[in-house]
Every structure is written in C-alpha cells, then in structure tokens.
Amino acid sequence: MPSNTKTLVILSAVGVAMLGLGFASDPLYDTFCKVTGYGGTPKIADDNLSEIIDRTVKVEFDSNVAQDLPWKFKPDQRSIDVNLGQSGLAYYTVKNEGDEPVTGVANFNVMPIKAAPFFIKTDCFCFEEQTIQPGEELSLPVIFFVDPQMDEDKRLNDVKTITLSYTFFLTEAGTMPAQNVSLTPS
Amino acid sequence: MVALPGENISAEPAGYHDDGKPKFFARWFYSTNHKDIGTLYLIFGIISGLIGGFLSFMMRMELADPGIQFFTNEHQYLVYVSMHGLIMIFFMVMPALIGGFGNWFVPIMVGAPDMAFPRMNNLSFWLLPTALICLLISFVVPGNANGNGFGGSWVMYPPLSTTGHPGPAFDFIIIGLLAAGFSSIFGAINFITTILNMRAPGMTMHKMPLFAWAVLVTAFLLLLALPVLAAALFMLFTDRIAGGTGFFDPARGGDPQMFQHLFWFFGHPEVYIMILPAFGIVSHIISTFSKKPIFGYLGMAYAMVAIGVVGFVVWAHHMYTVGMDVNLKAYFLAATLVIAVPTGVKIFSWLATMWGGSIRFTIPMQWALAFIFLFVVGGVTGVMLANAGVDAYLHDTYYVVAHFHYVLSMGAVFGIFAGFYYWFGKMFGVMYNKFLAAAHFWLFFIGVNVIFFPQHFLGLNGMPRRYVDYPEEFAIWNQVSSFGAYITLAGVVFFFLMLIEAFIVRRRVGDNYWGEGATTLEWTLSSPPPYHQFNVLPRIEDNAEH
C-alpha cells in the first residue's frame, strides 16, 4: 500500500514549489521583458554599429509625470523622422515647479509593443536619477536608433510610427506613496 | 451495480449501539470525522451565502433606480461589490462544493473509511471561520479617505489595493485570504492523498465515480494555483508597507501588470475549481434519474482533466485590454476557445446519458437540468468574450457580469443545490417536502434568470461594471434585474422553510431512496451513514458500472 506520508511530502513540495515560483516570477518577468522586449520594454546598447537602410519611421515623443511629483516635463519636439539604423537625438525639458529639491527617475516604454525589441537606446537620461532644485530647468537628451533588422520582420511592415513614452516618478528617497494618502477625508 | 459481499453491510448487529460518537463539543469542534466536517462546511457555506447574498441584494436595491439611494458614496458600494465577490467565491461556493460534498462523499465513493489526514481536515475547516472573521473585520476598519472597507474588487489590482487603500481594511483581507488559501491547499493535499492511496480493492482509477474524479482534478488545480495567489498576496502585503518592496510599483521598478498576470494565473483555474465539482455532482444526478450509466465515462473523466490542464494556460484572456501584443492575444484567444471542446464533450455526454433513459423529474434532476441549460448560456457568452476583438468592446461591462453569473451564480450554485437535494436524505436521514423544494427551485430559477439575462442587454449597450450610478437610459433593464433579486429572495425563503420543515417532520428514508440508477457506494450505506463506515470492506468487481 502506498504511504500517505510519502504522498503528503510530495504534494507539499509541489505546493512550496508553486509558492516559490510565484515569488520568482518577479525577477523572471523582469529578465524576460528586458531580453525579449515584451510589453514594450526597449533595449539598451552601448553603440550603434548598424548600417543605415532606406526606410524611415517617425518616432514620436510622449511624456508623463506621476501625481506626487511637482514637475513639468515636455519633449522639445513632437517627432523625428529617422532611417532604420540611423541614430536619432531628441531632447526633453523638465522643470521643478515645487519649493524643494526633488529626485526622480523616469520609466519608459515603446508603442507599438511589437516594435519594442527593435527600438534601441544608446544613451538616455532615464538611466540615472535626476535631482532638480526648485525652479531649475534641465534639458535631457536621449539617443536611440531603430534596428534595421526590423525591416526583415514581416509582422512589422505596417509600422510607420513608433512612440517613445516616459513617466517620471519620485525615487525611493522621497516620501513613500502609502504615507502620502491621508486617511481622513479632506 | 456495485457488487458487495454480504447483504446490507451497514446493518448494525443486534445489541450494537456504540459507534464511538464523541459528545457535542468534542464532536463538532475537535471533529476529525469526514462526515461531520462535511456538515460543518455546508453550514458554513450557508451562513456565508446569506452574508454574500445580503450584500448582492443591497447592490440590486441600489441599482434599481439611477442615482444614489442607499449607499453613502461610491466607495461603500464598491466595498459591497468586492466583499460579495470574495465571500461568495472563497466562503460559499468552495466550502460547499469541495469542503462540504467533497468531504462527505469522496471517501465514501472511493470506499475509504475517512480522509487520509483527519486532523489536517479539522485544521482546514477551522481556518475558514477565522478567515471569514478577518474579512468581516475589514468592513469596519478604515480603507481609504472615502470610508471603511476595501473597494478594489475581488481582483485586488494594485495600485488601488496598495496606495489606493492605505488603511488596514485591505490588510485584513490579505490575512483572511491567506488563511482561506492555506485551508484549501491543506484540503487539496488531503483529497489527493485519499483518492490516490485509499481506494477500496477493485476501485481502479478508471472505475472511480465521476464526482471523485472531479474533486481530484479540482484538488490539483487548488494545489497548483493557490500558492501563486499566496505569493501575490504576500507581495502586495510587503508593497503596502511604507518603505517596503516595490514589486508592483513602477516608481520603484516594479510592474502593476505583473500582479494581474499572477492573479489570473490563479484566478482562471479558480473558476474551474468552482465548477468542476458541480460537473461531477450533475453527472451522478443525470445518470441516477435517467436510470442509465453515464454516457462516455472515460471521456467525461478526461474532459475534466483536459479542462484543468488547459485552464492553466489561458489566464491572460482576462486582461486583453492591458495593451498586449496582438500575437499574444491571438494565442490566448485560441487557447481559450479550445476549452469549449472538453466542455462540449461533457454537455453532449449528459444529453446522451438522458437519451433513451427513463427520466424522472425529481427535485435534484430539475436543478441538474437547469444547471446544464444555464451553464450552456454562460458558456456561449464565454466563447464570445474569449474573442480579443469583441472583448475590447465588452470588457468590464455588465455583459461580463451576466456571463460569469450564468456560469457561477447559476452554474456552481445550481450544482450545489442539485447535490444538496440529491444527498439530503443520505446526509441527514430525512426527506425534504417536495412542494417547498419545488417552490424553492422555480422561484430561484426564474429569479436568477430575471436578474442576469437583462444584464446582457445592459452590457451590450455599454453599461460599465462597478459603478453605483448610471444614466437614465439603463433604468428599465436595471429595474427588471432588481425585480429578479426579489424573486430570488423569495426562493431563498422557501429553501429555509424546506430545511425547517424537513427537520421538524423527519420523514425517514431508506438506504437507497432513489432506487435503481443510484449505483455509487454511498447508496449501499444507511441514511445517514454510520459514524464510521464500511464494517465490511467493499470490493468492486471488474464488470461493475460506474
């Protein structure tokens, strides 16, 4: 007769393994997005070594600021036309309209999602935290290119516009969001 | 028929009185007997059903007319919506189907004396009232600036469940759901061990009754899905602590979408957890009252296995609108539609079982037939919603509300009532009053259809879920829907009248009161079964029907 204890041990191990997988999903999901560009995560490279080919895409720029950050954040240009493989340079302007110096960091993603694996950044203000003094205005550059391999993927034949979007968030050093919300009705 | 050595194995020898029943407190509070624990689960399910039903009744009262009538604000309404969902799923359907009927009949059906780990069974049950108390506490402690309680729906998406509800209300929900989750995981381990290791001689897996099969598949789903929910809840919990983690907080490099993936990786198997045991119950009822063995027994068993397996790889169809790659949508669409195949196998096998059978329209058979009809309605709208393009239009509308209430509020709940009436005499030794039971059935059947069918129209016209108020043009169908809630309430009143009447009048029933057609092992025992069953070990012969 099979032992109940043995079955219990095996089944408990399965349960614990699933629990572990649940927690492991956070780093796994992160790595997966960075490697595959899934969910519009653009790739990062040190250099642009690709050849320039004769297909242009329009790169549009979008900006957002988290609710608790007193910043004004706008792209200097609405869009740039680039050939595949050609490096593009764009600027964003950010201004601290609050009374205190604040540190923020920008998150980014790319639409359409299927173009994200081919959208590569070589330099970006979003790689670092930005501390801005009250009233100070900064010009933030981003250098990028669209991988010419995109031309070989039939699924992306219809892509004529790629939108690069940034959202500035308060960094860890700032007040925690959970404490920011008052429990009493205002 | 299951062949047994010796007639009437449950008959007590002359002068045999003591079956070792403990006194009241020890029997019900320290209980390790699977039948007593099953009864406790059923009572618990009825109590939770009353609480969850009260919440939904208040929602329907509110929505009967445009404007805000009964609730102080949107938040309070959303608290009722959220608690209705959580209580009905975790504290009514799951305890009744799995804990209640599962505990009562799985050991008997496979020919086992009790569950594999009776003490753990006791732990499983008593974690649940603890969990429910945590959820009820969350009602009266601060949620956010708009009032008490948690209003982020049963899906608990961040940031609404993190920064959106800084108060302790949601912490109580996390604790309660973790307790309920671990209760179910322990229960699942218990069921799997019982079914795999403790079957009677001759009871091979392929001779096992379909309800035992259903509970086996359900238990595996619980074991694989619930730990993922537990992990997601732990992460929410640490995200909520000031200066804690940022798993789901984009400002700290997290991703709120990941919670949705984790939640639905649990949440989709969860909907099968709620319906598979009902499939098992309905199979027995259809077979019994058609006086035929179930059509395509192996197909029925493996259809449930297939539903369980495929159920794990379709979760993102709940989140088509998050901005997903079109190829990913195409995959989840196709995988979701595949589930219609094993489900279709089950529906057609039930119809084929009835075909040419000598059908008796008893009360449990009426519930089972209504189950099939309503589940098909809910299944068809599910196939529609599975289409990513259509879903973009219908997502978060009342069409979705109508869909999942047809499969749950009418599918799972009709399965529960079907099982309740089928086994009522077996569990309690007395027969219900047929008139009261019929009144319960018809009022409930008409009531829930009047509630939910008009919600299809509301959804198709674009009425969104989770709002306390709505524009004038949705008023008529909302009024009809609320009227259905009053009919359903009348049905519930008859359910309790039926219970009270049955326990006062006490019409005794025999061992197998359904007669020919009821072939599983519980019908070989007395009604109610002896405190410890199988004085003679049942042996299942090779040619036995299922």
Side-chain angles (χ1 to χ4, degrees):
Chain A
M1 177 172 159
S3 146
N4 284 353
T5 320
K6 196 175 148 198
T7 316
L8 174 74
V9 170
I10 294 170
L11 293 175
S12 307
V14 171
V16 172
M18 287 310 289
L19 189 72
L21 263 182
F23 283 112
S25 64
D26 179 60
L28 286 177
Y29 185 79
D30 241 31
T31 320
F32 177 73
C33 291
K34 284 204 181 97
V35 172
T36 60
Y38 171 79
T41 317
K43 287 191 168 175
I44 294 162
D46 293 337
D47 260 322
N48 178 8
L49 302 170
S50 47
E51 59 167 324
I52 299 171
I53 63 166
D54 185 26
R55 175 176 165 188
T56 53
V57 287
K58 185 176 173 188
V59 178
E60 294 189 333
F61 302 95
D62 173 51
S63 64
N64 308 280
V65 182
Q67 242 179 351
D68 46 1
L69 202 57
W71 288 9
K72 207 175 145 186
F73 176 48
K74 287 269 178 287
D76 291 2
Q77 61 290 302
R78 282 246 61 88
S79 66
I80 301 182
D81 288 337
V82 288
N83 280 7
L84 299 196
Q86 181 192 2
S87 286
L89 170 66
Y91 283 95
Y92 278 76
T93 303
V94 60
K95 187 180 179 188
N96 184 353
E97 294 187 323
D99 308 327
E100 289 165 45
V102 183
T103 307
V105 69
N107 238 327
F108 47 87
N109 77 328
V110 162
M111 287 298 270
I113 295 164
K114 61 184 175 182
F118 302 100
F119 193 89
I120 300 164
K121 293 198 252 187
T122 48
D123 197 13
C124 177
F125 61 90
C126 54
F127 297 167
E128 285 151 21
E129 294 181 354
Q130 308 287 337
T131 305
I132 310 183
Q133 301 302 319
E136 190 189 359
E137 195 174 274
L138 286 182
S139 195
L140 304 170
V142 52
I143 304 173
F144 59 87
F145 67 96
V146 183
D147 193 331
Q149 281 181 342
M150 186 177 108
D151 203 41
E152 286 155 30
D153 194 333
K154 277 188 195 153
R155 290 193 307 130
L156 283 95
N157 279 351
D158 61 333
V159 174
K160 298 194 170 57
T161 310
I162 297 176
T163 306
L164 175 61
S165 174
Y166 286 100
T167 307
F168 254 113
F169 290 101
L170 204 62
T171 54
E172 301 254 4
T175 10
M176 283 303 112
Q179 294 174 334
N180 261 356
V181 189
S182 151
L183 268 179
T184 46
S186 45
Chain B
M1 276 295 287
V2 175
L4 295 162
E7 291 287 287
N8 202 2
I9 56 166
S10 64
E12 293 171 350
Y16 178 82
H17 295 299
D18 182 22
D19 50 7
K21 266 195 203 110
K23 293 266 186 318
F24 178 82
F25 188 81
R27 178 173 177 193
W28 296 107
F29 287 81
Y30 299 160
S31 184
T32 52
N33 183 295
H34 72 103
K35 293 180 284 280
D36 285 353
I37 292 178
T39 305
L40 287 173
Y41 266 113
L42 287 175
I43 295 169
F44 180 78
I46 290 173
I47 292 170
S48 308
L50 282 177
I51 300 171
F54 164 76
L55 297 173
S56 60
F57 191 75
M58 288 302 292
M59 278 145 56
R60 266 338 309 171
M61 294 263 286
E62 170 61 52
L63 292 172
D65 294 296
I68 302 183
Q69 280 80 233
F70 298 100
F71 291 98
T72 48
N73 58 12
E74 172 85 28
H75 173 77
Q76 201 195 4
Y77 171 78
L78 289 176
V79 171
Y80 274 54
V81 173
S82 314
M83 301 305 278
H84 165 74
L86 288 170
I87 289 177
M88 285 301 201
I89 292 165
F90 288 98
F91 301 98
M92 194 277 278
V93 173
M94 286 169 71
L97 275 177
I98 307 166
F101 298 129
N103 262 308
W104 249 103
F105 293 107
V106 165
I108 298 181
M109 279 182 166
V110 302
D114 203 310
M115 294 286 280
F117 309 107
R119 191 69 69 189
M120 189 161 84
N121 206 6
N122 179 284
L123 173 68
S124 286
F125 174 74
W126 285 106
L127 275 172
L128 271 186
T130 321
L132 184 63
I133 288 168
C134 285
L135 257 79
L136 295 179
I137 290 173
S138 107
F139 257 115
V140 292
V141 295
N144 61 18
N146 296 320
N148 290 345
F150 172 68
S153 170
W154 86 287
V155 299
M156 305 172 282
Y157 287 171
L160 187 54
S161 58
T162 52
T163 52
H165 281 84
F170 187 60
D171 295 309
F172 276 103
I173 293 199
I174 293 180
I175 296 165
L177 289 185
L178 284 175
F182 280 104
S183 151
S184 292
I185 293 171
F186 297 149
I189 292 175
N190 222 336
F191 279 118
I192 297 173
T193 312
T194 308
I195 294 171
L196 292 186
N197 292 354
M198 294 173 62
R199 298 189 308 276
M203 175 71 76
T204 59
M205 290 297 277
H206 284 179
K207 287 192 180 301
M208 205 165 69
L210 283 172
F211 181 64
W213 263 107
V215 171
L216 179 67
V217 176
T218 305
F220 270 107
L221 296 189
L222 283 169
L223 184 64
L224 295 173
L226 274 170
V228 178
L229 174 73
L233 287 173
F234 274 127
M235 286 193 246
L236 270 187
F237 194 75
T238 53
D239 265 23
R240 286 169 54 77
I241 298 167
T245 55
F247 290 112
F248 309 126
D249 181 3
R252 287 181 279 173
D255 188 344
Q257 230 188 79
M258 195 187 78
F259 179 83
Q260 301 191 16
H261 281 291
L262 284 177
F263 179 83
W264 286 114
F265 184 81
F266 144 79
H268 197 75
E270 172 70 20
V271 303
Y272 296 122
I273 286 165
M274 287 187 275
I275 203 68
L276 283 176
F279 282 174
I281 293 171
V282 166
S283 297
H284 288 291
I285 293 171
I286 297 284
S287 155
T288 299
F289 298 112
S290 305
K291 275 192 199 165
K292 278 174 68 187
I294 197 81
F295 178 89
Y297 163 82
L298 272 187
M300 289 294 256
Y302 283 98
M304 288 193 284
V305 175
I307 290 171
V309 172
V310 184
F312 269 105
V313 290
V314 298
W315 74 90
H317 67 214
H318 294 273
M319 31 193 293
Y320 280 142
T321 55
V322 296
M324 208 187 282
D325 190 274
V326 70
N327 289 324
L328 205 57
K329 277 187 200 168
Y331 159 72
F332 279 110
L333 194 171
T336 305
L337 292 183
V338 165
I339 294 191
V341 176
T343 315
V345 168
K346 297 204 71 74
I347 301 285
F348 286 111
S349 296
W350 287 323
L351 297 184
T353 306
M354 286 184 279
W355 187 267
S358 102
I359 298 177
R360 281 179 294 160
F361 290 103
T362 57
I363 300 291
M365 185 64 164
Q366 290 175 20
W367 285 99
L369 293 175
F371 169 92
I372 296 176
F373 168 61
L374 298 172
F375 188 79
V376 167
V377 175
V380 168
T381 54
V383 169
M384 264 190 76
L385 287 168
N387 292 281
V390 180
D391 181 76
Y393 176 68
L394 293 173
H395 192 89
D396 261 352
T397 65
Y398 267 82
Y399 194 85
V400 178
V401 177
H403 156 68
F404 69 73
H405 279 95
Y406 261 86
V407 286
L408 293 179
S409 161
M410 290 124 114
V413 170
F414 274 56
I416 291 172
F417 280 125
F420 195 78
Y421 283 104
Y422 182 59
W423 285 315
F424 188 81
K426 180 54 66 182
M427 291 188 291
F428 307 117
V430 294
M431 187 45 98
Y432 50 81
N433 176 296
K434 287 197 185 69
F435 171 77
L436 293 175
H440 171 209
F441 169 75
W442 284 106
L443 286 169
F444 205 87
F445 177 76
I446 294 167
V448 287
N449 276 294
V450 174
I451 298 176
F452 293 110
F453 207 80
Q455 295 189 2
H456 290 116
F457 310 145
L458 289 170
L460 286 170
N461 285 326
M463 180 172 169
R465 296 165 72 177
R466 301 180 180 129
Y467 285 96
V468 67
D469 195 4
Y470 53 84
E472 197 71 44
E473 57 261 43
F474 298 130
I476 289 175
W477 288 122
N478 267 302
Q479 264 164 16
V480 174
S481 182
S482 293
F483 182 67
Y486 308 140
I487 303 176
T488 312
L489 179 71
V492 173
V493 169
F494 273 97
F495 172 66
F496 284 98
L497 288 178
M498 179 282 296
L499 277 183
I500 295 165
E501 196 269 355
F503 286 112
I504 290 175
V505 178
R506 303 195 76 80
R507 285 168 292 264
R508 291 277 170 198
V509 290
D511 293 1
N512 184 358
Y513 49 89
W514 298 127
E516 192 192 338
T519 55
T520 39
L521 282 176
E522 74 268 30
W523 306 109
T524 62
L525 299 174
S526 60
S527 304
Y531 196 65
H532 299 291
Q533 74 260 2
F534 299 126
N535 292 335
V536 178
L537 192 64
R539 281 173 201 284
I540 288 73
E541 288 188 345
D542 279 351
N543 58 358
E545 299 282 6
H546 310 288

